[in-house]
Amino acid sequence: MSITTHRPLPTQIREIQLELEEVAAGYGLDFFETVFEMVDYEEMSMLAAFGGFPIRYPHWRFGAEFDELTKGYSYGLQKIYEMVINTDPCYAYLLNANELIDQKLVIAHVYGHCDFFKCNAWFSKTNRRMLDQMANHAARVNRYVERYGYETVERFVDACLSLDDLIDPYLPHIRRRPAEQTRPERSLDRDRDEDGNDGSGKFAAKDYLDPYVNPPDVLREQSEKRREKQKQAEESRSFPERPERDVLLFLLEHAPLKEWQRDVLAIVRDEAYYFAPQGQTKIMNEGWASYWHSTIMTKHALTDAEIIDFADHHSGTMATSPTRLNPYKLGIELFRDIEERWDKGQFGPEWEECDDLETKRKWDKQLGLGREKIFEVRRVHNDITFIDTFLTPEFCAKHQMFSFAYNDVTDYYQIASRQFPEVKRQLLDNLTNHGRPFIYVKDGNHANRGELYLLHDYSGVELRQDYARDCLINLQALWGRPVHIETVSDDMPTVLSYDGHAHEVAVK
Amino acid sequence: MTRPIDQNLDRFRKIVKGKVRQNLRKYVNHGEMLGRRGREVVSIPVPNVDIPRFRHGNKGSGGVGQGEGELGQPVGRGGEQGDGPGQAGSEAGRHIREVELTLDELAEILSEELELPNIEPKGKDAIRSVKDRYTSIRQQGPNSLRHFKRTFKRALKRQIASSEYDPSNPVIVPVKDDERFRSWKTVQEPQANAAIVYMMDVSGSMTDDQKEIVRIESFWIDTWLRKQYDGIERRYVVHDAVAHEVDEDTFYRTRESGGTRISSAYKACRRIIERDFPPDEWNLYCFQFSDGDNWGEDNDDCLGLLAESILPVCNLFCYGQVESPYGSGDFIRELQRIQEDWENIVLSEIESKDAIYDSIKQFLGTGR
């Protein structure tokens, strides 16, 4: 496998790497050892298709991606300059056809990414030995392919992939469920209901007021209701107790799968969790890397002759378009904005409360805290908290940001607002769960018939119906029994169902 | 050497071609790749296969963008947004740039994707033109053709080799031996003239979506034929119950209503051919788009006109029928009746945008 065997870098590139590594470390960037390799465009496309890894399990979608990338390159439509993967040591691939100036820029950019991978809290739980893990996954899937046949496994992988974003991206950082041992204690508490009342439902009151504060017939009614509820709870065989966000985990634990199927599902889930933080920090990660390539290049690495090419490449990367926010651009500008504000002391209550524009414009306390602040920001934030905390009305206006919305009469997206609260809300909306629907398992024993009942937490945007139906088919293939999803369709609460033979749509 | 990706690539191609896993065929989509020509963004047909996932629909969706624009100004169409606008992906760090394309490159890509054959132009043997192309280099020639860069380079090389070159005083003096001149080759080119007549039904039943399909399809047809011929003339006809010759802009924008008499368009087409394009000098292409909802008694007139004055003179007559929520779509069946007698007639039904590329392939795949 030629890709994994290490090929020494050309001396010239190696020298640049050493030089830039020193500069980067001098700025306080903290990264794992970084191994650069030069690859041609085919190899680059292959790595990119595989999500950065030299070996993945067999699946046609990697071929599709590869096809698109190589075509895009040979038609001159697009070019991947570089790829970095989040492992320890960090592997980075450089395109051997890059101009020397591009290599410099890209190497500087890579060190930004490496620092981010190592230091950002959202990556703290990722497996840094993912290279081995991916190869291991590939070996396992290959074994199942040999035993059960290519198409059988492929069909199953397809079904899993169709659900692979139904995970709980915060799971690695939070303990959602009580650990097993705590259960007995909870059962001791059973006499008390959730509000902590003693069970009679009585409010404390003086004797003479008691009949008024706690009218006997209401008390009776309430205790009846409570008994009813308790009876229902005891009779019900519904689970889980609370809606479960990690649908894949729920399927792993409760779906009637064969051993190999369970393993394939676990592999798909594992990889989804590995890639999740990259999606959660796209703006920050690209912004941070761009901030550093720009800083290092302009202050250290550029020669006079290279400045035009650098500017051309840099501006190409930063280009914006009306419908797609460029994460590179948004990220780098926000980091620069934060740096400037903390350098000048434009933060805190005093700044917030000041409503004199002129004073604000000239505000400069010469604190020089900017650099320190952005390092802190890159450590603790993800895209959502980053935008939530640091997007300011001034920033929005300066960068001409607007929100747009779909108009179902004209079938066009139209500019909806330039007001800061609206722009910010829309941006956060798009970032929250990557703008995808929130879906939970509500009941694994729906109607006491072992049917799976999912809940789409509707927040104003409806599901794409054709895709939702196809997902239900795949879900049913895994679950075995009929599956349902509660959602909203044409402004009506609706349940979509699939029982293995036919779809059903019921207005709830 | 086999690469780890080959197996996957092979599998993917089989799926796209429908050889295996036919149930995935419905997820095959086209045209995710964008190129830019001037200010216009064009999408290039690159097949991919979607994996269905729970996603938001268009309704109620939105995003954030950057730049100029008034409130209410449209920024993009529904359905084109793929994964939803302004999305941060979960891919590892990559660095991608878009590049501009020329029309020629577009045409080449198109032919590669759709495996279109080159056209054998009519009158190739009869009409030839001679052209000089400046593609080579000689050691002698007039000063006006001197290739400055090459001359300079050779002089520089010579001076460095003979250590006459002084970096602190970099003066380069070419001598006679250094000089290089552009030179030409004479090539014979077939002179082929081509004309396209587009006809579109703009009766009340044609919706904006259907016109969009016609627009995209004619763009690609134009691109392809332009690559095949040096000069290309285009004429546009719109019709409802009566036909009008219009300019390109009007062709794509008119909204008329009323009944449909396709024979009126054929008459207009015949007039144009007689007036502008004598058939023995021109390669004629006729493209007609309609929802196929013709006035019943008009059909016989249509077939008569076609057989007498259009089909005998044109290289290709293409009829594209877009699916309409209103029309009966009968007309294509009328044409099917005469399809056997004429080999230059191509019929295609275009159900949706995704079917455009298949339809182009049907139209131009004959190489006529």
Side-chain angles (χ1 to χ4, degrees):
Chain A
M1 205 126 314
S2 66
I3 278 195
T4 47
T5 52
H6 186 66
R7 279 165 292 183
L9 280 181
T11 334
Q12 200 181 14
I13 304 279
R14 176 78 188 149
E15 275 167 12
I16 295 175
Q17 185 207 336
L18 291 176
E19 184 199 327
L20 294 186
E21 186 176 312
E22 207 179 296
V23 175
Y27 274 113
L29 292 184
D30 176 16
F31 35 81
F32 297 121
E33 184 199 345
T34 306
V35 183
F36 284 89
E37 283 192 41
M38 305 272 277
V39 294
D40 64 27
Y41 199 79
E42 266 192 25
E43 290 168 307
M44 183 67 100
S45 300
M46 178 158 82
L47 285 160
F50 278 145
F53 293 89
I55 304 171
R56 295 289 291 274
Y57 59 81
H59 193 263
W60 53 263
R61 78 176 191 285
F62 303 128
E65 178 83 347
F66 176 77
D67 190 54
E68 192 166 326
L69 289 169
T70 41
K71 273 181 184 157
Y73 182 69
S74 58
Y75 298 160
L77 290 173
Q78 58 179 27
K79 183 173 168 185
I80 306 177
Y81 286 91
E82 136 276 334
M83 257 302 338
V84 205
I85 50 175
N86 167 29
T87 49
D88 177 16
C90 245
Y91 283 89
Y93 302 98
L94 303 173
L95 185 61
N96 59 10
N98 285 350
E99 301 275 335
L100 196 64
I101 162 76
D102 289 337
Q103 303 288 29
K104 273 192 193 175
L105 184 155
V106 158
I107 290 173
H109 190 86
V110 162
Y111 278 113
H113 279 309
C114 293
D115 168 80
F116 197 88
F117 285 146
K118 184 175 172 188
C119 299
N120 181 272
W122 299 92
F123 283 95
S124 61
K125 308 281 182 189
T126 49
N127 182 356
R128 310 284 185 183
R129 310 208 45 84
M130 205 57 192
L131 219 52
D132 304 342
Q133 188 71 35
M134 288 284 185
N136 178 349
H137 288 171
R140 271 146 71 190
V141 175
N142 274 319
R143 204 159 58 224
Y144 301 135
V145 166
E146 274 169 33
R147 199 168 305 162
Y148 303 104
Y150 194 93
E151 190 150 326
T152 316
V153 176
E154 187 185 65
R155 275 173 199 277
F156 188 77
V157 173
D158 281 358
C160 296
L161 285 176
S162 149
L163 307 167
D164 76 347
D165 55 357
L166 303 183
I167 58 170
D168 179 359
Y170 299 114
L171 191 68
H173 309 279
I174 303 177
R175 208 165 67 195
R176 292 272 192 208
R177 306 183 190 180
E180 295 292 322
Q181 306 90 307
T182 60
R183 290 224 170 124
E185 289 171 37
R186 279 168 53 93
S187 65
L188 289 181
D189 262 354
R190 206 170 39 189
D191 295 343
R192 289 173 165 271
D193 66 15
E194 281 168 19
D195 306 327
N197 287 338
D198 59 1
S200 67
K202 268 181 136 180
F203 294 102
K206 293 197 172 94
D207 283 348
Y208 69 96
L209 275 177
D210 193 63
Y212 302 98
V213 176
N214 298 310
D217 46 337
V218 174
L219 274 186
R220 223 179 2 260
E221 207 175 295
Q222 277 179 344
S223 71
E224 206 132 290
K225 264 191 196 157
R226 230 185 346 263
R227 253 203 308 280
E228 190 72 17
K229 210 168 145 193
Q230 200 175 353
K231 200 172 141 202
Q232 261 182 7
E234 272 170 16
E235 279 179 3
S236 157
R237 299 187 194 177
S238 295
F239 63 102
E241 276 178 51
R242 256 168 255 145
E244 169 69 64
R245 174 97 189 271
D246 193 339
V247 180
L248 291 191
L249 179 64
F250 185 85
L251 290 172
L252 272 180
E253 289 177 344
H254 302 290
L257 298 170
K258 298 195 181 87
E259 225 19 73
W260 72 267
Q261 292 177 322
R262 202 176 298 282
D263 194 35
V264 168
L265 182 58
I267 285 171
V268 168
R269 178 171 173 268
D270 243 26
E271 297 188 357
Y273 271 107
Y274 171 78
F275 287 113
Q278 299 186 10
Q280 287 173 302
T281 56
K282 179 91 179 161
I283 296 172
M284 287 188 72
N285 203 341
E286 293 302 353
W288 183 250
S290 301
Y291 175 91
W292 286 106
H293 84 228
S294 144
T295 306
I296 291 174
M297 291 300 281
T298 49
K299 297 213 167 128
H300 300 274
L302 277 179
T303 64
D304 298 354
E306 292 168 339
I307 191 82
I308 300 288
D309 288 331
F310 168 77
D312 182 43
H313 183 148
H314 182 77
S315 57
T317 316
M318 297 299 148
T320 56
S321 85
T323 45
R324 194 162 284 269
L325 262 197
N326 182 342
Y328 293 81
K329 174 74 175 167
L330 182 60
I332 190 176
E333 292 298 347
L334 259 179
F335 272 119
R336 283 181 177 155
D337 189 55
I338 296 168
E339 186 178 25
E340 189 188 330
R341 282 171 60 203
W342 261 259
D343 271 346
K344 293 185 174 172
Q346 298 178 342
F347 59 92
E350 204 184 329
W351 163 261
E352 303 286 337
E353 277 158 25
C354 172
D355 49 11
D356 180 36
L357 283 179
E358 191 54 23
T359 322
K360 274 193 148 179
R361 206 169 55 79
K362 288 190 184 150
W363 193 293
D364 189 359
K365 291 191 184 166
Q366 314 233 323
L367 292 185
L369 293 171
R371 203 35 84 64
E372 194 185 324
K373 183 66 184 176
I374 57 171
F375 269 92
E376 176 201 308
V377 169
R378 79 93 164 74
R379 197 170 65 243
V380 299
H381 283 276
N382 64 23
D383 282 350
I384 297 177
T385 60
F386 183 56
I387 299 292
D388 193 29
T389 317
F390 298 108
L391 193 73
T392 61
E394 294 83 8
F395 185 91
C396 268
K398 184 174 163 198
H399 293 278
Q400 298 184 302
M401 292 170 75
F402 58 80
S403 71
F404 57 85
Y406 181 70
N407 180 339
D408 56 353
V409 177
T410 58
D411 191 32
Y412 272 103
Y413 285 95
Q414 294 175 336
I415 297 183
S417 173
R418 288 188 181 270
Q419 297 297 315
F420 171 69
E422 183 48 31
V423 171
K424 181 172 168 182
R425 186 200 60 78
Q426 183 66 58
L427 186 53
L428 289 175
D429 244 23
N430 286 139
L431 291 171
T432 305
N433 201 29
H434 309 301
R436 293 172 192 160
F438 279 90
I439 286 166
Y440 298 87
V441 179
K442 194 174 168 194
D443 195 346
N445 186 26
H446 177 61
N448 204 13
R449 286 196 298 243
E451 299 176 7
L452 184 61
Y453 195 91
L454 301 186
L455 176 69
H456 166 216
D457 190 3
Y458 177 74
S459 55
V461 192
E462 296 181 2
L463 291 181
R464 209 183 129 163
Q465 296 284 320
D466 50 342
Y467 273 24
R469 281 157 195 252
D470 290 333
C471 286
L472 285 182
I473 295 178
N474 289 328
L475 187 63
Q476 197 274 338
L478 265 58
W479 187 251
R481 296 279 304 149
V483 293
H484 313 270
I485 183 164
E486 183 182 329
T487 176
V488 172
S489 168
D490 293 328
D491 302 319
M492 299 287 282
T494 306
V495 179
L496 308 177
S497 307
Y498 181 71
D499 64 1
H501 305 285
H503 287 279
E504 200 179 307
V505 182
V507 176
K508 209 185 168 196
Chain B
M1 191 188 86
T2 59
R3 302 162 301 178
I5 197 82
D6 283 335
Q7 183 192 9
N8 299 322
L9 187 58
D10 193 49
R11 185 76 185 165
F12 166 66
R13 292 202 170 128
K14 278 188 187 150
I15 291 173
V16 170
K17 292 198 171 136
K19 286 188 185 150
V20 291
R21 304 284 311 276
Q22 278 84 358
N23 61 336
L24 286 178
R25 224 0 223 170
K26 69 173 164 170
Y27 298 124
V28 174
N29 61 43
H30 293 285
E32 281 303 312
M33 202 175 278
L34 294 180
R36 197 166 289 141
R37 187 178 66 89
R39 300 183 59 181
E40 203 172 345
V41 175
V42 290
S43 69
I44 290 162
V46 177
N48 205 333
V49 180
D50 285 338
I51 294 174
R53 290 190 168 93
F54 286 112
R55 285 285 181 274
H56 284 138
N58 286 329
K59 198 175 165 195
S61 66
V64 173
Q66 244 183 309
E68 310 271 333
E70 298 291 318
L71 294 191
Q73 181 180 318
V75 289
R77 280 208 80 166
E80 283 172 13
Q81 301 289 335
D83 205 11
Q87 209 103 118
S90 56
E91 296 292 308
R94 281 195 224 155
H95 225 164
I96 292 182
R97 263 176 99 179
E98 276 180 20
V99 192
E100 298 232 334
L101 279 177
T102 65
L103 265 186
D104 257 9
E105 285 166 335
L106 275 182
E108 223 154 84
I109 292 167
L110 182 74
S111 71
E112 211 167 290
E113 283 303 326
L114 298 182
E115 294 160 0
L116 293 181
N118 280 322
I119 292 174
E120 290 276 332
K122 187 156 127 185
K124 183 182 170 188
D125 295 325
I127 315 164
R128 273 179 193 278
S129 70
V130 174
K131 229 184 183 177
D132 291 335
R133 293 217 155 150
Y134 288 85
T135 51
S136 62
I137 293 288
R138 281 187 201 166
Q139 293 185 14
Q140 261 119 31
N143 267 342
S144 60
L145 285 180
R146 189 166 63 178
H147 194 305
F148 179 77
K149 215 169 174 179
R150 291 217 184 201
T151 307
F152 180 86
K153 267 192 187 161
R154 289 196 60 88
L156 180 64
K157 265 192 207 160
R158 180 181 46 76
Q159 288 197 8
I160 289 173
S162 61
S163 68
E164 280 169 42
Y165 179 72
D166 174 11
S168 60
N169 181 27
V171 177
I172 309 292
V173 186
V175 299
K176 183 107 183 54
D177 273 355
D178 298 329
E179 289 186 326
R180 289 293 178 273
F181 301 87
R182 284 176 222 280
S183 168
W184 64 94
K185 267 187 195 148
T186 306
V187 285
Q188 284 205 324
E189 286 192 340
Q191 174 87 42
N193 293 322
I196 314 177
V197 182
Y198 290 107
M199 290 166 270
M200 178 163 54
D201 181 354
V202 289
S203 60
S205 49
M206 292 282 285
T207 64
D208 279 349
D209 275 347
Q210 290 161 336
K211 282 190 202 143
E212 171 83 5
I213 289 176
V214 175
R215 201 189 72 81
I216 296 177
E217 181 140 356
S218 6
F219 169 79
W220 285 108
I221 291 171
D222 253 27
T223 307
W224 176 244
L225 289 176
R226 231 188 269 190
K227 159 129 175 113
Q228 299 288 320
Y229 294 103
D230 289 344
I232 209 152
E233 291 283 328
R234 282 162 294 165
R235 295 290 183 272
Y236 299 90
V237 174
V238 293
H239 74 94
D240 46 16
V242 284
H244 302 278
E245 191 184 341
V246 294
D247 60 23
E248 183 174 358
D249 202 47
T250 324
F251 181 74
Y252 292 122
R253 280 170 217 282
T254 14
R255 163 138 223 163
E256 295 188 28
S257 55
T260 315
R261 236 179 232 282
I262 292 177
S263 64
S264 66
Y266 290 160
K267 280 182 198 148
C269 176
R270 182 179 64 187
R271 255 200 320 277
I272 293 169
I273 294 173
E274 279 168 5
R275 188 186 66 209
D276 296 339
F277 310 117
D280 41 346
E281 283 170 37
W282 289 83
N283 292 283
L284 279 168
Y285 292 85
C286 300
F287 292 91
Q288 186 200 349
F289 300 96
S290 169
D291 56 4
D293 197 11
N294 199 19
W295 204 323
E297 60 210 49
D298 186 48
N299 285 344
D300 288 338
D301 282 354
C302 291
L303 296 183
L305 276 166
L306 271 181
E308 267 168 43
S309 42
I310 297 183
L311 288 174
V313 296
C314 65
N315 291 33
L316 200 59
F317 178 88
C318 299
Y319 173 73
Q321 181 160 308
V322 286
E323 200 169 275
S324 154
Y326 314 110
S328 59
D330 274 339
F331 192 65
I332 197 163
R333 280 192 284 282
E334 295 291 327
L335 291 179
Q336 272 157 1
R337 282 180 12 210
I338 59 163
Q339 198 175 13
E340 284 192 3
D341 307 332
W342 298 94
E343 53 178 4
N344 59 349
I345 186 166
V346 184
L347 308 176
S348 164
E349 281 183 88
I350 314 161
E351 291 128 27
S352 65
K353 267 193 187 173
D354 280 343
I356 290 177
Y357 295 112
D358 285 338
S359 153
I360 294 175
K361 195 169 167 156
Q362 268 179 327
F363 281 169
L364 303 175
T366 55
R368 294 180 67 93

